Amino acid sequence: MGGMTYWVRALLIANIAVFMVTQSQPAIAGVLAFSPSLILKAPWTLITYQFVHANFGHILFNMWALYMFGPPVESRLGARHFIQLYLFSGIVGGLLTLVLDPFASFVFLVGASGAVFGVALAFATYWPETRILLFFVIPVSARGMVIGLTVLSLVGGYGPFQGGIGHFAHLGGFVGAFVYLRWLAKRSPAAQFKRKVYGHVKPSVKVDSGLLDRI
């Protein structure tokens, strides 16, 4: 998947460091976790919760996914846009939990899953046919991975067996990344060129917009 990039390395180090601290000082995890019922008192926890993990398996899965999908996405987007997409995806994950989880008042959300899901969606957007092993065993395309995880998150979020998993945070990660990438696409040279040429006037001649998208 390519060499390590700046923000992927920094995020790996930060998450592992916070995990080690919170394992020895569990009270710190409670301070950093995001509780939807306390959003007005501690809004910064929409970011800090993304660096806290419940157990070794939790951080292992998230950091493995970040290591796999992060470097090519950061190389494609650039460092600034990558970290913005990462954090924004995690923030939207927390907000979607606040809106959709009927038990949000009792939830303490932790984990980088929303942010990492956002990175995974970006990867699938740019390399949709790349084959990966979902859950380390199921071979699927990157596009198929996103579809499968979306279905699992919807079933998990609205089904009877949530199992303490932040399914709505996962969905929010996908939503956040989708919104960010759409916003980024509108600022692309191709989009700016089309706006400059046509403005708000519909062209009288049919144009191959696909060609413009590839500029």
Side-chain angles (χ1 to χ4, degrees):
M1 292 291 181
M4 188 76 72
T5 50
Y6 175 82
W7 276 115
V8 170
R9 180 185 295 108
L11 289 167
L12 288 171
I13 293 172
N15 276 278
I16 293 171
V18 172
F19 179 73
M20 293 175 65
V21 170
T22 54
Q23 288 299 294
S24 60
Q25 301 290 333
I28 296 178
V31 174
L32 300 178
F34 170 62
S35 174
S37 63
L38 300 176
I39 186 172
L40 296 180
K41 293 183 178 179
W44 58 85
T45 55
L46 277 170
I47 292 179
T48 59
Y49 92 89
Q50 301 177 39
F51 296 88
V52 183
H53 290 85
N55 52 54
F56 181 75
H58 191 199
I59 191 172
L60 176 64
F61 177 82
N62 281 335
M63 295 304 99
W64 172 83
L66 175 62
Y67 174 79
M68 292 296 292
F69 300 127
V73 174
E74 184 174 349
S75 297
R76 175 69 180 259
L77 295 179
R80 179 169 64 90
H81 286 303
F82 174 80
I83 190 61
Q84 289 176 351
L85 175 137
Y86 181 91
L87 295 175
F88 183 70
S89 297
I91 290 171
V92 176
L95 293 176
L96 204 66
T97 300
L98 169 66
V99 173
L100 297 181
D101 194 329
F103 303 103
S105 297
F106 308 100
V107 167
F108 279 88
L109 191 64
V110 296
S113 299
V116 171
F117 269 53
V119 173
L121 183 132
F123 181 90
T125 298
Y126 296 123
W127 300 280
E129 300 305 324
T130 299
R131 305 296 291 181
I132 61 173
L133 291 177
L134 184 61
F135 302 124
F136 304 104
V137 293
I138 307 172
V140 295
S141 67
R143 180 191 290 116
M145 172 194 68
V146 169
I147 294 172
L149 290 176
T150 298
V151 172
L152 288 174
S153 296
L154 285 170
V155 172
Y158 289 105
F161 305 109
Q162 294 191 5
I165 298 174
H167 297 290
F168 294 119
H170 298 169
L171 290 172
F174 282 156
V175 172
F178 177 80
V179 170
Y180 189 88
L181 292 176
R182 292 281 293 182
W183 171 79
L184 200 59
K186 289 183 178 180
R187 299 176 68 252
S188 69
Q192 293 177 11
F193 174 76
K194 285 189 284 187
R195 285 196 296 270
K196 183 177 180 181
V197 171
Y198 299 117
H200 299 291
V201 179
K202 185 177 180 180
S204 57
V205 179
K206 186 176 182 180
V207 177
D208 180 7
S209 61
L211 177 61
L212 294 178
D213 291 337
R214 292 191 292 270
I215 292 177

